[in-house]
Amino acid sequence: MLAQRLNGAKLLSNSSRLLGSRCLSSSIVSRNSTYRTPDFGSNVKQDRDADKSRSYAYFMVGSLGLLSSVGAKSTVETFVTSMTASSDILAMAKVEVNLAAIPEGKNVVVKWQGKPVFIRHRTPREIQEANSVDVASLKDPQTDADRVQDPQWLVMLGICTHLGCVPIGESGDFDGWFCPCHGSHYDISGRIRKGPAPLNLEIPKYELDGDKLVVG
Amino acid sequence: MVAYVSQLAFKTVPHFGKISTKNLASYAPNLMLWGGAWASCVAVYTSGWPIFQDTFYKKLPYFGSYWVKEVLPEDKQY
Amino acid sequence: MSFATIYRVFFKRNAVFVGTIFAAGFVFQPLFDSGITSWYEAHNKGKLWKDVKAQLQLVGDEEAADDE
């Protein structure tokens, strides 16, 4: 019994000598433990700088965040960009017309995105006629000035607003366009005057640049 | 004359959920910094977006020229 | 600037940390892109359209000179 106690005391003194101040636990298990805690002293840096190592770790975390956010953005952008119109589509999106070749009082039909576009070089008399109409009496009230950029040139989509036939030029009761399908009459400004069509002929987006017309 | 206080007068600070004017004011600087962080996040994710490029990024003082892509007229495909 | 200052300025507040990351990301994109592009153009010098176009223009000018 005594021997045992002596032995225990010896062990305790032994372990506490080994562990030094690190031995904080006073439980029986830890007191009786024979585990020798290694001395890490030689591995610990002499000039430890907590701010340096901490900044290094945060810098690495931040760099990962930067690269992954930019990478995620680029990935998303690649997929979204793949949905945009390709060059061949964009090349078809516009059509150029040389207006110098169209004499006064003549119609020209060009194809733009699969649709006919009517271009009319109007005479001064026709411009006057288009402006003399009482706007309030129209089915789809629109002044001639709203429908043209240059009164000389009338550019509009050649699709009847009723059921999508192509109207015939220089005919009808109003000397404009006449749709043979159901008898809609359009005037010299492309406005619906008589028949089942509800709206005026549509005006596409176009630009006039001297003698050059760009539709689209 | 002795003025007696019969009970303590409690009054609730006007609040919306857990947010009251006082703690909102104390959070304000931090929230503003978060706003800046959010704005730069939006900037990262819209830097390839043409309308954002035209409105903002092309006007940046030093980096702006990066977003200006010049194609000579003879090299244009359409 | 000591590491203590760096830590205090950039990393202590999460809002500043995240904001700095995104702001740096925004600047990083054009830099990275221009860097890669200039490396690519240096690597493929002579094969790019701008170089070919310059050569074609030279040839075209010579032919025009020959015609005269």
Side-chain angles (χ1 to χ4, degrees):
Chain A
M1 200 63 179
L2 184 72
Q4 232 176 7
R5 200 172 286 172
L6 272 172
N7 201 16
K10 195 179 151 198
L11 266 174
L12 179 67
S13 68
N14 197 21
S15 64
S16 63
R17 186 172 52 75
L18 274 171
L19 299 173
S21 60
R22 288 174 63 90
C23 184
L24 296 173
S25 176
S26 59
S27 71
I28 303 291
V29 177
S30 70
R31 251 193 315 168
N32 291 346
S33 169
T34 53
Y35 178 71
R36 293 177 170 205
T37 304
D39 182 15
F40 293 109
S42 59
N43 294 318
V44 175
K45 276 185 193 166
Q46 287 304 306
D47 50 345
R48 281 178 74 192
D49 187 352
D51 284 318
K52 189 178 173 182
S53 53
R54 195 158 52 174
S55 298
Y56 175 75
Y58 274 119
F59 177 76
M60 283 301 161
V61 170
S63 305
L64 179 69
L66 187 152
L67 291 175
S68 43
S69 61
V70 171
K73 177 250 164 192
S74 294
T75 312
V76 170
E77 204 177 86
T78 310
F79 282 105
V80 173
T81 313
S82 75
M83 290 192 272
T84 57
S86 53
S87 295
D88 60 329
I89 302 288
L90 287 174
M92 298 294 286
K94 289 189 176 192
V95 67
E96 257 184 54
V97 184
N98 182 19
L99 293 178
I102 309 173
E104 212 173 59
K106 285 284 173 195
N107 279 345
V108 162
V109 184
V110 293
K111 201 173 147 186
W112 170 67
Q113 294 188 353
K115 287 171 271 191
V117 171
F118 293 160
I119 303 161
R120 181 168 180 85
H121 194 169
R122 298 195 295 187
T123 60
R125 205 184 59 80
E126 287 171 338
I127 297 166
Q128 206 193 344
E129 190 190 317
N131 282 314
S132 64
V133 176
D134 178 20
V135 176
S137 69
L138 296 171
K139 197 183 207 176
D140 183 9
Q142 225 178 359
T143 61
D144 187 55
D146 288 341
R147 297 180 53 78
V148 289
Q149 286 177 17
D150 179 356
Q152 227 183 345
W153 299 103
L154 174 67
V155 181
M156 56 189 187
L157 277 185
I159 293 174
C160 181
T161 52
H162 178 224
L163 285 173
C165 295
V166 179
I168 301 163
E170 292 172 4
S171 55
D173 294 357
F174 299 90
D175 291 331
W177 283 262
F178 172 68
C179 181
C181 295
H182 304 94
S184 296
H185 299 258
Y186 297 92
D187 67 7
I188 199 62
S189 187
R191 293 174 292 201
I192 179 66
R193 299 295 286 274
K194 196 174 147 192
L199 298 168
N200 302 333
L201 287 176
E202 200 186 328
I203 306 290
K205 202 176 136 192
Y206 65 94
E207 278 167 34
L208 283 167
D209 181 21
D211 270 349
K212 205 175 76 178
L213 166 74
V214 180
V215 183
Chain B
M1 175 119 186
V2 184
Y4 290 101
V5 177
S6 59
Q7 64 182 85
L8 289 171
F10 290 107
K11 209 197 258 176
T12 321
V13 176
H15 62 93
F16 180 78
K18 283 181 179 175
I19 305 163
S20 71
T21 42
K22 205 179 172 187
N23 64 17
L24 194 67
S26 61
Y27 273 120
N30 200 25
L31 286 175
M32 278 192 279
L33 288 172
W34 275 114
W38 180 83
S40 40
C41 176
V42 170
V44 166
Y45 280 88
T46 55
S47 60
W49 196 324
I51 196 164
F52 282 87
Q53 290 178 350
D54 292 342
T55 355
F56 303 113
Y57 308 136
K58 281 182 185 174
K59 292 165 190 166
L60 288 177
Y62 179 72
F63 286 99
S65 57
Y66 166 76
W67 283 278
V68 181
K69 297 267 186 292
E70 275 183 29
V71 182
L72 292 172
E74 67 261 33
D75 289 343
K76 270 188 186 158
Q77 294 171 24
Y78 40 84
Chain C
M1 198 157 68
S2 69
F3 287 105
T5 323
I6 293 174
Y7 174 74
R8 208 176 52 248
V9 172
F10 291 109
F11 304 131
K12 191 140 192 212
R13 258 179 198 269
N14 199 28
V16 178
F17 185 42
V18 174
T20 313
I21 289 170
F22 280 119
F26 182 71
V27 176
F28 171 78
Q29 287 179 93
L31 288 179
F32 184 73
D33 192 25
S34 337
I36 293 286
T37 307
S38 58
W39 171 81
Y40 180 85
E41 286 182 354
H43 188 75
N44 292 300
K45 204 167 175 59
K47 301 178 212 163
L48 300 167
W49 167 240
K50 56 180 181 185
D51 305 327
V52 175
K53 194 175 142 194
Q55 278 178 356
L56 286 175
Q57 270 169 352
L58 272 178
V59 173
D61 290 347
E62 273 170 22
E63 274 174 7
D66 290 345
D67 290 343
E68 280 166 3

